[in-house]
Amino acid sequence: MFSDNLHNDLKTSLTCERDLPVEIWHHIFFLVCSDEFEEYVGMQGLSNDQGTPSLRLSGYYTPFRISHASRRWRDLATTYPILWSNVLISARCRRPDRLLDAWLTRSGSVLLFLWIDVHQDHPRLPKCLQVIRGVNSRWRQISLQLSEGRWHKLRPYLLQPEPEETTPGSGRSVQEEYVSLELLEASLNCGVEDDQDDLIFRFRRSKNLRTLKMGHFRDTIQPSSSDIPYIPYPMNIVQLSSIVNLTLSSQFLFPLIPFLDMIASLRQLQGLELRCCTLNKASTPENHRVTIPHLQRLSVVGWMSHSEVRTLFQCLLLPSLDSITMASALDTPSFSAMVSVSKCNIRHMSITSKQHISELIILGILMSAPFRQLEELYLDGPSIGNSLIMSLVRADDFGCGHSLKRITLLGCRSDDGLVADLAATRVGPGALEYLCVEVSDALENHRRDLDAVVRLQKLGPKGVFYSEKTSILLRFV
């Protein structure tokens, strides 16, 4: 009986597999490969705490594993070019040239996401870089993770030389424009100060380049002074006039005023993220603010000094600022003063901290004029207490009460019943579309909260409750 049932189940499974449209299989393969690859590759995940590569190559081999499962899967995988659009060149592959040949052949003519991860020598790397240079019109994204000193060694193989670098009789130099390139990110572990400037200079003709990420990427919530040293910021970013989003990590922003003037000159720039940076506040003039009229999103994360963050905010005017992210919540009073002077309208605010978040400061910010149109509030701290939640219950008493659409509070330590009051007050009237509260003590201490939410909502997955109009997540950790 068992064998008959198993035989029937197998027949049914094979029939279902044959009946699935090719498009469905392609979409399944794409999702699996994307998740696997993104888990192991990324500018924040390529290095471990010692600065050595931690990327596990198994995530990159997923398309190969799929294509080896069966003849049908092989046919489906090898004829779907997008599945092979992530191209990795790594010295830790035994035969990186063979991998590259397979990926480029199967990717057809689709645009490529190129990842170059080199922390050691490999005799076949120059050939690989020359091959990938031949398809630079297909580069959509290039991410460089190089150990110290390798940029100048590998650059001649990856990029065409500049006209002044060619010698008579060596052939004509082609000035590359990288017409499809949209994102450039690089962690060069710079031993030479001008490495970042040189890289920007080489890509200055990339007219479609929209996103630039540069520097060492480390823990932004609890950075350590013993981490990777700071790098002088690249002074020629202005050559990339098409930049819309800029991320600088582990950069020394000195002198600060010329740096801000440079940012202000990038007329297309809308988003600026400063991660784990530092500056020299002693050399920064007081009462001198630089206006950046077009900047809409600002993220200041991982800074170690309150006074340096204060100096940064005291030198800024951001009249178009729409979104602010801070982690940790360093010197929020100077931020509050900056947005008030700038007369901007903040719609999105996110604060993450491993230390206590001052509820009085947050309340003062929320009650100020720039936050009267606030739509999204995200707070993640170890002890969000009663006063803040009570104020959100009475949010109609100050400006943003009618505009809030999304509220996320992680790390609440409030009295039983306050979350219930917040849900009951915000779910009914108003614009609220999403409420997530994570309570950091036991479920038994929040029976009133739980009962009230159950009455308000229909029961969904464990610990999560949804309404018809508003999604409510109530989690206990």
Side-chain angles (χ1 to χ4, degrees):
M1 177 64 70
F2 175 79
S3 59
D4 290 343
N5 290 338
L6 179 60
H7 178 72
N8 292 332
D9 290 342
L10 288 173
K11 283 185 62 177
T12 302
S13 299
L14 291 172
T15 302
C16 292
E17 178 181 344
R18 287 192 295 267
D19 291 342
L20 276 179
V22 171
E23 293 79 9
I24 299 296
W25 279 115
H26 283 170
H27 189 63
I28 293 172
F29 291 165
F30 175 77
L31 292 177
V32 171
C33 292
S34 298
D35 289 344
E36 289 275 326
F37 194 65
E38 289 176 5
E39 183 177 352
Y40 303 116
V41 178
M43 289 308 299
Q44 299 179 48
L46 278 173
S47 295
N48 59 24
D49 294 337
Q50 287 72 43
T52 55
S54 61
L55 180 145
R56 297 192 328 207
L57 295 176
S58 58
Y60 184 63
Y61 293 138
T62 304
F64 265 147
R65 293 202 300 268
I66 289 176
S67 66
H68 291 173
S70 69
R71 180 177 297 177
R72 174 165 171 75
W73 280 27
R74 179 178 178 82
D75 292 340
L76 289 168
T78 56
T79 56
Y80 188 41
I82 294 178
L83 206 62
W84 309 88
S85 59
N86 285 316
V87 177
L88 172 67
I89 297 177
S90 173
R92 287 173 294 115
C93 299
R94 284 181 296 179
R95 290 297 304 269
D97 51 333
R98 287 185 177 179
L99 274 178
L100 182 60
D101 289 341
W103 252 253
L104 290 182
T105 300
R106 296 175 180 181
S107 63
S109 59
V110 300
L111 297 182
L112 302 175
F113 298 82
L114 178 61
W115 312 81
I116 300 178
D117 172 32
V118 179
H119 291 77
Q120 61 193 47
D121 291 326
H122 194 293
R124 299 182 186 274
L125 278 178
K127 176 185 176 182
C128 292
L129 296 178
Q130 289 175 325
V131 170
I132 203 67
R133 183 176 72 183
V135 293
N136 57 26
S137 61
R138 294 170 54 195
W139 296 358
R140 184 174 183 179
Q141 169 182 314
I142 179 170
S143 298
L144 300 169
Q145 178 77 6
L146 307 179
S147 58
E148 184 175 326
R150 295 195 180 275
W151 166 245
H152 283 281
K153 293 180 180 179
L154 299 178
R155 186 195 66 199
Y157 302 104
L158 180 64
L159 306 178
Q160 291 282 1
E162 292 293 317
E164 62 271 18
E165 295 173 335
T166 59
T167 57
S170 62
R172 184 172 60 90
S173 173
V174 179
Q175 297 186 1
E176 301 294 349
E177 296 184 359
Y178 311 104
V179 293
S180 301
L181 189 64
E182 298 176 3
L183 186 150
L184 170 63
E185 54 185 350
S187 180
L188 304 181
N189 290 292
C190 299
V192 182
E193 289 189 2
D194 64 349
D195 277 3
Q196 294 187 131
D197 294 270
D198 181 70
L199 183 141
I200 290 174
F201 175 76
R202 303 287 167 170
F203 286 93
R204 68 192 183 281
R205 300 186 187 91
S206 306
K207 302 301 182 183
N208 294 312
L209 187 62
R210 296 293 180 263
T211 300
L212 176 67
K213 300 181 180 182
M214 301 200 72
H216 305 300
F217 290 81
R218 51 174 147 177
D219 188 351
T220 58
I221 306 302
Q222 291 183 308
S224 168
S225 58
S226 62
D227 274 342
I228 304 171
Y230 296 105
I231 317 163
Y233 74 88
M235 297 185 180
N236 61 343
I237 296 178
V238 291
Q239 294 181 338
L240 303 178
S241 57
S242 62
I243 290 295
V244 176
N245 301 294
L246 173 63
T247 297
L248 296 176
S249 182
S250 304
Q251 306 282 318
F252 183 32
L253 309 181
F254 173 79
L256 179 60
I257 298 302
F259 167 75
L260 296 178
D261 287 335
M262 180 188 68
I263 297 300
S265 69
L266 296 170
R267 298 301 179 184
Q268 302 297 321
L269 189 68
Q270 297 179 15
L272 174 64
E273 182 176 1
L274 302 174
R275 304 163 60 99
C276 305
C277 292
T278 189
L279 54 85
N280 187 341
K281 60 181 185 294
S283 64
T284 303
E286 297 182 1
N287 303 319
H288 184 106
R289 290 186 181 269
V290 176
T291 301
I292 308 179
H294 43 275
L295 194 69
Q296 299 176 17
R297 301 178 301 277
L298 176 64
S299 178
V300 180
V301 298
W303 290 48
M304 297 185 63
S305 169
H306 288 256
S307 59
E308 291 180 2
V309 175
R310 181 187 307 119
T311 300
L312 174 67
F313 285 141
Q314 288 173 345
C315 293
L316 282 172
L317 276 177
L318 305 175
S320 299
L321 190 65
D322 176 83
S323 174
I324 178 69
T325 298
M326 287 184 282
S328 298
L330 295 177
D331 204 70
T332 46
S334 64
F335 163 73
S336 181
M338 184 272 291
V339 294
S340 296
V341 174
S342 299
K343 297 181 180 180
C344 54
N345 292 314
I346 304 295
R347 298 181 186 275
H348 309 275
M349 183 171 76
S350 172
I351 295 180
T352 301
S353 178
K354 296 297 183 182
Q355 300 175 346
H356 176 70
I357 298 177
S358 172
E359 297 176 8
L360 292 178
I361 292 177
I362 299 299
L363 290 175
I365 290 176
L366 293 178
M367 295 178 69
S368 62
F371 290 85
R372 288 175 181 168
Q373 299 180 36
L374 186 68
E375 296 180 1
E376 181 172 8
L377 175 64
Y378 180 100
L379 299 178
D380 183 358
S383 55
I384 298 174
N386 292 343
S387 57
L388 180 60
I389 296 181
M390 291 173 65
S391 298
L392 291 174
V393 172
R394 301 192 302 268
D396 291 342
D397 296 342
F398 51 93
C400 66
H402 296 287
S403 61
L404 274 171
K405 295 181 179 179
R406 299 178 64 86
I407 300 176
T408 302
L409 306 174
L410 306 182
C412 286
R413 290 186 177 273
S414 58
D415 293 342
D416 189 16
L418 282 181
V419 173
D421 292 342
L422 177 61
T425 305
R426 299 285 86 192
V427 167
L432 193 68
E433 298 173 354
Y434 175 88
L435 171 64
C436 176
V437 179
E438 181 183 271
V439 181
S440 55
D441 51 1
L443 169 64
E444 290 72 20
N445 298 331
H446 290 271
R447 287 298 179 185
R448 287 178 55 200
D449 290 330
L450 186 60
D451 292 343
V453 169
V454 170
R455 287 196 304 271
L456 282 170
Q457 319 300 333
K458 61 182 181 180
L459 187 62
K462 184 179 180 181
V464 180
F465 302 88
Y466 297 99
S467 72
E468 297 293 343
K469 173 179 178 290
T470 304
S471 295
I472 294 187
L473 283 75
L474 180 58
R475 300 202 298 255
F476 298 89
V477 296

